[in-house]
Amino acid sequence: QVQLVESGGGLVQAGGSLRLSCAASGRSFSSDPMGWYRQAPGKQRELVTNIGSDGSTYYTDSVKCRFTISRHNAQHTVYLQMNSLKDEDTAAYYCNDVALVSERVITYWGKGTEVTVSS
């Protein structure tokens, strides 16, 4: 059974840092693009950042130069280092994996971890 389990969320003051982790199990993820999404209360889920199997990255404009995504394939883990946190970063953060399985694209999601930034 494929599982993505996020951890590392919590309450932090504005300007602080958190590191989120996403532990993957159930299949090999080393060839998959993986990413982090977030959903603030009353808003749609949005893509924050993703990382390809080759290490290439994308960041939404609002987190550039503050957030860093990385992956450790041997540990089946993806990380999101979040620095200089702002109130608007408050959201539930979800790990995402896009897999090609038997010629079908399947998207896996974790259950999320809450990040609350207080000013």
Side-chain angles (χ1 to χ4, degrees):
Q1 183 180 359
V2 175
Q3 279 192 317
L4 302 175
V5 180
E6 302 96 335
S7 61
L11 174 64
V12 62
Q13 287 191 329
S17 298
L18 283 175
R19 189 175 83 151
L20 305 184
S21 300
C22 171
S25 63
R27 61 181 299 276
S28 174
F29 295 85
S30 59
S31 300
D32 300 344
M34 298 191 71
W36 289 94
Y37 283 68
R38 67 185 178 188
Q39 187 167 18
K43 295 188 177 181
Q44 289 189 329
R45 191 173 295 189
E46 64 170 352
L47 173 63
V48 176
T49 176
N50 59 25
I51 184 167
S53 58
D54 61 355
S56 59
T57 57
Y58 163 84
Y59 296 93
T60 194
D61 285 346
S62 62
V63 308
K64 284 180 180 176
C65 300
R66 298 190 298 123
F67 289 11
T68 303
I69 189 172
S70 61
R71 64 191 299 163
H72 195 308
N73 288 334
Q75 295 179 349
H76 309 291
T77 304
V78 176
Y79 300 98
L80 180 61
Q81 178 66 44
M82 304 187 296
N83 298 329
S84 302
L85 283 161
K86 305 177 180 179
D87 290 354
E88 51 263 43
D89 296 318
T90 294
Y93 284 72
Y94 298 90
C95 182
N96 162 272
D97 167 53
V98 180
L100 182 63
V101 180
S102 302
E103 300 183 350
R104 292 171 53 221
V105 175
I106 300 177
T107 302
Y108 298 103
W109 293 94
K111 293 184 178 180
T113 185
E114 293 284 343
V115 172
T116 303
V117 183
S118 65
S119 55

